[in-house]
Amino acid sequence: MTDHFGSCLCGTVKFEVQGDFDSFYLCHCRHCQKDTGSAHAANLFSQSAKLTWKSGADAVTSFTLPGTLHRKSFCKLCGSALPNTQIPGLLVVPAGCLDTTVSILPTAHIFTSSQAAWDAELGEVPKFEGLPE
């Protein structure tokens, strides 16, 4: 069993996930694009891992898009995406909120029919280790 630790951007919320992840999906659906402001969401899924809020549990809030299964938990102070358990029996952890290394590679890209047009050729874009001068 693996322990994972994570936090929000402002450091108010800290959590621990005990257990392993079953899958790691990069979701390109329009809902994930809207709520991340990016090309896709990167979420880890587990049916057995346990989530423990170490601090700031009172700063965690959630949003469910009406009429869908799209749910998001986030810090109400800084807006950072956080783990959610709103689907019974399923823990969903945004990979970017983990402070520990994610040891599995993404399982798959999903909802690619909604993929942003500018996301298709990212391998061709120049790379910089920091902000370009």
Side-chain angles (χ1 to χ4, degrees):
M1 185 182 301
T2 307
D3 287 347
H4 305 275
F5 297 92
S7 60
C8 66
L9 184 61
C10 71
T12 299
V13 180
K14 294 184 173 144
F15 63 89
E16 178 180 5
V17 175
Q18 293 178 302
D20 296 315
F21 297 112
D22 305 321
S23 54
F24 182 2
Y25 292 119
L26 304 178
C27 183
H28 295 267
C29 79
R30 291 293 296 151
H31 302 318
C32 285
Q33 289 177 35
K34 287 281 187 186
D35 89 19
T36 64
S38 188
H40 58 73
N43 289 314
L44 297 148
F45 293 79
S46 180
Q47 295 179 348
S48 60
K50 302 298 179 213
L51 172 66
T52 304
W53 299 110
K54 297 301 213 177
S55 66
D58 57 334
V60 179
T61 192
S62 297
F63 172 75
T64 299
L65 186 61
T68 73
L69 293 175
H70 188 82
R71 295 165 169 86
K72 179 178 182 173
S73 290
F74 54 96
C75 173
K76 59 185 166 184
L77 299 174
C78 67
S80 296
L82 293 167
N84 80 65
T85 57
Q86 291 130 332
I87 298 173
L90 184 64
L91 173 63
V92 179
V93 179
C97 71
L98 289 175
D99 298 324
T100 51
T101 302
V102 177
S103 60
I104 64 172
L105 293 174
T107 308
H109 289 270
I110 59 174
F111 292 98
T112 56
S113 61
S114 302
Q115 185 173 2
W118 52 268
D119 186 34
E121 302 295 327
L122 291 182
E124 305 299 318
V125 176
K127 297 177 183 176
F128 301 91
E129 288 187 22
L131 190 62
E133 295 182 19

